[in-house]
Amino acid sequence: MNSRDQVSGVRFQAAHLRYAALAPLLFALLPLSAQQSKAWEQIPVPKLHEFHPQQPKRIELKNGIVIFLEEDHELPFISGEVLIPGGSRDVDSSKAGLIGIYSQAWRTSGTAKMSGDSMDDFLEAKAAHIETNGDDDSTALSWDSLKEDSDQVFSLAMDLLFHPEFIAEKLQLARQQEATGIVRRNDDEGEIAEREAAKLVYGANSPYTRQPELATIGKVTLADLNAWHDRTLKGKLIVGVIGDFDSAAMEAKVRAIFEPLPDATANPQRYDEFAGPKPGAYFIDKEDVNQSNVQIVGLGIDRHNPDVPAIVIMDEILSGGFGSRLFQKVRTQLGLAYAVGGGFNLPYDHPGSFRVEVLTKSVSTVDATKAALDEISALNSHPFTEAELKRAKDDILNSFLFRYDTRAKVLAEQERLEFYGYPANYLETYHDALEKVTLADVTAAAKKYVHPDKLAVLVVGNSSEIKPPVSDLGLGAPQTIDITIPRPQQSNTPSGGQQ
Amino acid sequence: MFSYFKRKLLSVCLVTLAAASVACAQGDLSTYLKGFEKNTTVKVLPNGLTLIVCERHEAPVFSYTTFIDAGDVNDPFGESGLAHMFEHLAFKGTTQIGTKNYAAEKIALEKVEAANDAYEAEYLKPIGRDEAKLKTLHDAFLAAQKEAEQYVIPNQFTEVAEANGAHGLNAETALDDTKYYWSMPENRLELWAWMESGRLSDVVPREFYKERDVVVEERRMRTDSDPIGRLIEQFQATAYVAHNYGRSGIGWPSEVSQITATEAMAFHKKYYVGGNIVVAVVGDVDTKTALPILEKYFSRIPAGPKPEEMTTVEPKQFAEKSVIIREQTQPFYVEGYHRPSYRDPDDAVYDAISDIMSNGRVSRLYRSLVEQQQIAAESAGISPLPGEKYPALFVFYAVPLPGHTPKEMRDAIRKEIEKLKTSDVSDAELQMYKTRARADILRSLGDNQGLANSLAEYQTRYGDWRELFLQLDKIDKVTKADIRRVAKQVFVDSNRTSAEIDTEPPAAGTKNEGGAE
């Protein structure tokens, strides 16, 4: 714990000394056109106040379950979360959508002792919450209440965690919500673009991108929900609690619940294959828009990769904020887009994607896309400069403490690292590694990970307005992607529309 | 799950959420108010600008909000979108930052303006426009811009902020007001004060016309390419006949595309004066040493009283109105009723109605439309919309489940509204509203940026940030009879505007991309 406590204080001071030697000139005394002397560089930047973020208390139970407790006495609330391994990527493709339904029906069904509806009444009267959520690699149950109600709310949350009673009526309700999402998924241009771009990278049937269909959600049964729940609850749970409590007392309460559980089962290994996109141009026509959403995508890497720090710096140079190459070129110099950005996302346990997004008016689709592609290619041809490296490092390192400036963030970070099996001092070593990145590192990372010839370009836009057409990108005739929503037989429609 | 479309509606209208409430258990907010009174200092500078400093030493960081009491509702006639356009300009730097040589740049910018005037004069000629001449003038306009660009150091203002650790840097223009905000390491306080006071007082119309193109793109993204965006713009325009709340916040295409730098600077001169600005700083700051620094820099902002108030008051609606959009997107239904501004004594009653109708799974609209009848994926009421400073709308909406129609949404919403008029809400519902309001106020006290927003907003709207806590009195006083009285008064046919998207089947021979069943 001690080493982690020192994450920040010391390290941030070094960089901040650079203006300290300058006389703290009064701004008012500066000549009016002081651009050579850079007025802002004359403003003193004192030493940053020392800061040791309070790390949560970590308790590892014999059965493998890990508990984190973070005291925070500023306000009279207590909240917590149980993180459960297993999510949508672990669901059979014939039941895609199960996690969405499960995570709703779990909470709305309630328990044998208290139905979901009664739970709503009980909690809302206390301005308290218990919620269940699902993600691609996990599900979670969380709670939150005023301190005075926390014992009651905690017991109720634990009842829901261990004794849910899934009921048909709430399964149907959740299925309808999912169905609404499915039939509306082609209304929003950005939603289409992001979804289809991910499918280009991972493949349409990948566990990471396959989408729920009316047919697959129709197949989800109560037995499926119960089986999923029973299976995942045996996994290596992570429990985090934060708020206005005494750690010793809270530890006793949480131990009493989780200590008697049998040994947690190991998280199942995954053996996914990631081929990356088939290079070329892809097109989806949307006649009710007057702008194009362009996605330039390729296969990326995961966070374990030792080159991550260099890639993060390169990303910052390419697309981090107003000073980045993409922003300067496509938005500022060419005025072609309101939004442009992207880069490598870095998932903790599987390869991510490289993705650059450009939003531009229909007629400038080709120009804006070419400009963005040029900037991507330039990562391998246009040498990185010391100034770019410095800007990127300043941007990232000077705002680094916003990753742990609240206790909630500190706790969430520790839960995340525990979940993915990263060392608890990850942020610290990551910060050090970022500091050490050199120009040569960035150049090498670009060469190794940026492959313009392996990228796919997806345009979602209005074909009648896109002139010159997408074929002018020089990537061959664009391949049209069919996004028609499959309609199952009427008898299977879970839409609730035939009452 | 409840809020996807709500967020969408709010973002479409560029509405800043009324300062999120936040606070304590059983009425014990006064303890927290005392704590805040000890840590919070308000200082009005000679130029009229109000500074608020609130100490909160959780981590070595601070957040700020600069709150300008002017937004797109103040755009002059024919210049819709101007306040927002100016907000973009505020990131372009000053005479000291973002330029290689301001003296030369100034002359070049004047030439850009003259070239634009000449071009526009020809472009707008109702008869006898000379297309050849127009092209020459346009070329000259582009050449002048290019000439001015050579002096620009692009994005230097934001680059300096980001390199110094700025986090969450952004701005929002709503109809009522404009906010600028970010967070920074505490040792950058003076640097921030220099930057922020500089851009408020010393702004340069740099790269204005390029930025105008960016804003036109933003309109495409937010409004034109989004079915709900298009619907809400028409809904607002239909609900209002006189007041600027009916005008597109981001600007009508013809107007926003012809705003000039001269107009933006005139807007700045009128509305960015001391008396119209509140700056709140929350975080790891020492008031004693910080105040003199802030005072020094923010005194640079031109003195001036608040600009004159708007005279237009939306006349009473006497005819029910409706908008129907037929297109190949999924159905949607929204209806709105005129209600008074936030200053109305019944403001908390409207909040109570909104809470009881819409807040969470116990709300009446959720229980009726989503859970019991199973006709909607989502339904709620939002009030006030599109702003709060002037008489606004109380809006209800519902997102139909597949196979259900906007008309079913309308009937179901009206039934719930009718109940408010004919029978009292329950004691439990009313108490729930009050408990949640309190807890929400408490919860909001734990976040630097949220607090900076709230303090600046309450100080502007009520003349005293303490109203953030004191509003609980008004909340506690709401009665069942109040709710019934207000519902009867406001939710009447002649005061209503509705809007819906009816899904049109695809034309024969084209592919179905998710249209009607």
Side-chain angles (χ1 to χ4, degrees), chain B residues 373-391:
Chain B
Q373 300 180 65
Q374 306 201 355
I375 56 175
E378 185 181 323
S379 180
I382 309 177
S383 158
L385 209 74
E388 61 166 9
K389 198 171 157 186
Y390 302 100

Side-chain angles (χ1 to χ4, degrees), chain B residues 166-186:
Chain B
H167 175 77
L169 173 152
N170 216 331
E172 286 168 27
T173 310
L175 286 168
D176 289 346
D177 40 62
T178 309
K179 283 189 292 191
Y180 300 88
Y181 52 88
W182 72 59
S183 305
M184 254 184 172
E186 54 78 26

Side-chain angles (χ1 to χ4, degrees), chain A residues 16 27 46 49 74 76 117 121 124 127 131 144 148 180 184 187 288 322 328 331-332 361 395 398, chain B residues 25 32 56 154-155 158 163 186-187 194 210-211 217 221 230 284 330-331 361 367 371 401 436 443:
Chain A
H16 301 168
F27 168 78
H49 293 164
E74 187 180 21
D117 289 355
D121 291 330
E124 294 288 355
E131 291 298 333
D144 170 37
E148 66 207 26
T180 305
R184 287 174 185 271
D187 279 7
D288 67 337
F322 289 79
Q328 291 273 14
R331 175 160 159 173
T332 308
K361 58 185 179 294
D395 283 8
N398 285 331
Chain B
Y32 289 90
R56 201 170 159 271
N155 302 319
T158 40
E186 54 78 26
N187 58 349
W194 178 83
K210 206 182 267 175
E211 200 60 27
E217 291 283 340
M221 180 180 83
R230 296 191 289 262
D284 191 19
Q330 292 295 310
R361 293 192 193 91
R367 285 227 155 133
E371 218 175 50
L401 280 180
R436 295 198 287 204
R443 282 196 175 94

Side-chain angles (χ1 to χ4, degrees), chain A residues 192-482:
Chain A
I192 297 170
E194 205 169 310
R195 179 186 74 225
E196 297 300 326
K199 283 158 71 176
L200 285 175
V201 176
Y202 289 116
N205 295 316
S206 152
Y208 294 90
T209 54
R210 65 187 164 219
Q211 52 197 20
E213 298 294 353
L214 295 174
T216 64
I217 62 170
K219 287 191 191 124
V220 174
T221 64
L222 280 181
D224 292 330
L225 303 186
N226 280 309
W228 176 268
H229 188 83
D230 293 344
R231 173 156 73 90
T232 55
L233 256 275
K234 291 182 186 136
K236 191 190 155 189
L237 310 181
I238 295 172
V239 185
V241 189
I242 181 168
D244 191 9
F245 57 74
D246 169 70
S247 286
M250 183 58 75
E251 179 177 341
K253 277 182 213 168
V254 179
R255 262 183 193 275
I257 301 282
F258 291 93
E259 203 149 45
L261 297 180
D263 285 356
T265 56
N267 296 349
Q269 288 287 312
R270 295 203 57 86
Y271 302 96
D272 300 313
E273 283 179 19
F274 300 90
K278 193 169 152 277
Y282 297 82
F283 182 68
I284 294 168
D285 196 15
K286 186 147 174 61
E287 62 181 30
D288 67 337
V289 299
N290 58 9
Q291 69 164 10
S292 294
N293 184 311
V294 181
Q295 306 274 329
I296 303 170
V297 291
L299 187 63
I301 57 165
D302 83 48
R303 195 168 276 277
H304 286 103
N305 188 313
D307 294 324
V308 159
I311 285 172
V312 166
I313 298 279
M314 179 185 70
D315 257 356
E316 187 71 22
I317 293 172
L318 176 69
S319 60
F322 289 79
S324 67
R325 286 184 176 186
L326 269 177
F327 196 94
Q328 291 273 14
K329 183 74 174 189
V330 184
R331 175 160 159 173
T332 308
Q333 277 177 40
L334 302 175
L336 285 174
Y338 166 66
V340 57
F344 287 87
N345 68 341
L346 299 161
Y348 283 77
D349 69 351
H350 66 276
S353 58
F354 171 76
R355 182 169 75 94
V356 166
E357 175 182 78
V358 185
L359 306 189
T360 186
K361 58 185 179 294
S362 302
V363 291
S364 50
T365 303
V366 168
D367 285 348
T369 306
K370 279 185 172 168
L373 283 168
D374 286 350
E375 285 306 323
I376 293 168
S377 295
L379 291 173
N380 284 319
S381 58
H382 183 131
F384 298 102
T385 65
E386 286 292 348
E388 284 181 318
L389 182 66
K390 181 176 183 315
R391 181 189 71 79
K393 282 194 183 180
D394 282 350
D395 283 8
I396 295 171
L397 297 175
N398 285 331
S399 61
F400 204 78
L401 79 173
F402 288 102
R403 293 164 192 256
Y404 48 84
D405 63 316
T406 69
R407 292 184 188 193
K409 286 188 200 173
V410 172
L411 174 64
E413 177 71 15
Q414 286 307 319
E415 287 179 39
R416 192 159 41 234
L417 297 175
E418 183 76 38
F419 184 85
Y420 292 108
Y422 282 62
N425 66 348
Y426 174 76
L427 271 190
E428 208 174 342
T429 49
Y430 179 48
H431 182 278
D432 286 352
L434 284 167
E435 264 184 338
K436 287 186 192 127
V437 170
T438 65
L439 272 186
D441 295 336
V442 181
T443 307
K447 203 167 166 196
K448 195 164 167 191
Y449 299 104
V450 179
H451 306 292
D453 56 323
K454 290 187 183 164
L455 299 174
V457 177
L458 168 66
V459 176
V460 184
N462 188 340
S463 60
S464 65
E465 290 184 4
I466 300 179
K467 284 169 187 147
V470 179
S471 51
D472 277 22
L473 280 175
L475 298 169
Q479 192 177 319
T480 301
I481 299 177
D482 182 6

Side-chain angles (χ1 to χ4, degrees), chain A residues 16 18 26-27 32 34-35 39-40 43-49 51 74-77 104 107-108 117 120-121 124-127 129 131 144-146 148 170 172-173 176-177 179-180 183-184 186-189 285 287-291 320-323 327-328 331-333 335-338 359-361 364 391 394-395 398-399 401-402 405 407 409 482-485 487 490 495-497 499, chain B residues 1 5 8 23 25-26 32 56 58-61 88 96-97 99-102 154-156 158-160 162-167 169 183-188 190-191 194 207 210-211 213-214 217-218 220-222 224-225 227 230 284 296-297 300 328-331 360-362 366-367 370-371 373-374 376-377 399-402 404 432 435-436 439 442-443 445-446 511-515 517:
Chain A
H16 301 168
R18 76 197 129 113
L26 283 186
F27 168 78
L32 264 179
Q35 62 272 18
W40 60 92
I43 295 170
V45 175
K47 201 172 136 184
L48 193 72
H49 293 164
F51 180 47
E74 187 180 21
L75 296 169
F77 293 101
Q104 282 185 58
R107 169 62 179 80
T108 53
D117 289 355
D120 294 336
D121 291 330
E124 294 288 355
K126 299 180 177 309
H129 310 99
E131 291 298 333
D144 170 37
S145 76
L146 286 160
E148 66 207 26
K170 299 301 182 184
Q172 175 63 5
L173 189 61
Q176 285 172 351
Q177 299 274 345
T180 305
V183 302
R184 287 174 185 271
N186 289 343
D187 279 7
D188 184 76
E189 187 184 29
D285 196 15
E287 62 181 30
D288 67 337
V289 299
N290 58 9
Q291 69 164 10
F322 289 79
F327 196 94
Q328 291 273 14
R331 175 160 159 173
T332 308
Q333 277 177 40
L336 285 174
Y338 166 66
L359 306 189
T360 186
K361 58 185 179 294
S364 50
R391 181 189 71 79
D394 282 350
D395 283 8
N398 285 331
S399 61
L401 79 173
F402 288 102
D405 63 316
R407 292 184 188 193
K409 286 188 200 173
D482 182 6
I483 57 168
T484 307
I485 296 161
R487 301 278 164 173
Q490 279 300 309
S495 67
Q499 299 173 6
Chain B
M1 91 193 250
F5 283 93
K8 200 151 189 166
Q26 292 310 316
Y32 289 90
R56 201 170 159 271
E58 275 290 289
V61 295
H88 278 240
Q96 300 204 36
I97 188 164
T99 188
K100 290 173 188 159
N101 177 350
Y102 180 64
N155 302 319
Q156 192 170 37
T158 40
E159 267 193 58
V160 171
E162 285 170 347
N164 280 282
H167 175 77
L169 173 152
S183 305
M184 254 184 172
E186 54 78 26
N187 58 349
R188 263 62 175 195
E190 181 167 359
L191 177 79
W194 178 83
E207 299 181 299
K210 206 182 267 175
E211 200 60 27
D213 291 342
V214 169
E217 291 283 340
E218 189 178 347
R220 286 192 180 89
M221 180 180 83
R222 282 187 200 279
D224 300 332
S225 292
R230 296 191 289 262
D284 191 19
K296 179 178 85 183
Y297 289 106
R300 302 158 71 190
Q328 285 177 52
T329 50
Q330 292 295 310
R361 293 192 193 91
V362 293
Y366 179 84
R367 285 227 155 133
V370 178
E371 218 175 50
Q373 300 180 65
Q374 306 201 355
V399 183
L401 280 180
H404 293 276
M432 201 179 285
T435 305
R436 295 198 287 204
L442 254 188
R443 282 196 175 94
L445 301 179
K511 218 181 285 170
N512 183 348
E513 289 195 357
E517 299 206 17

Side-chain angles (χ1 to χ4, degrees), chain B residues 20 83 109-110 173 249 269 275 277 283 325 330 339 341-343 367 384 394 434 440 459 470 477 483:
Chain B
L109 286 173
E110 280 159 6
T173 310
K269 194 167 178 201
I277 302 177
I325 295 183
Q330 292 295 310
R339 55 149 283 179
S341 79
Y342 79 102
R343 287 178 297 150
R367 285 227 155 133
F394 199 121
K434 294 176 181 180
D440 284 350
Q459 184 71 27
L470 302 176
K477 284 190 184 121
I483 290 176

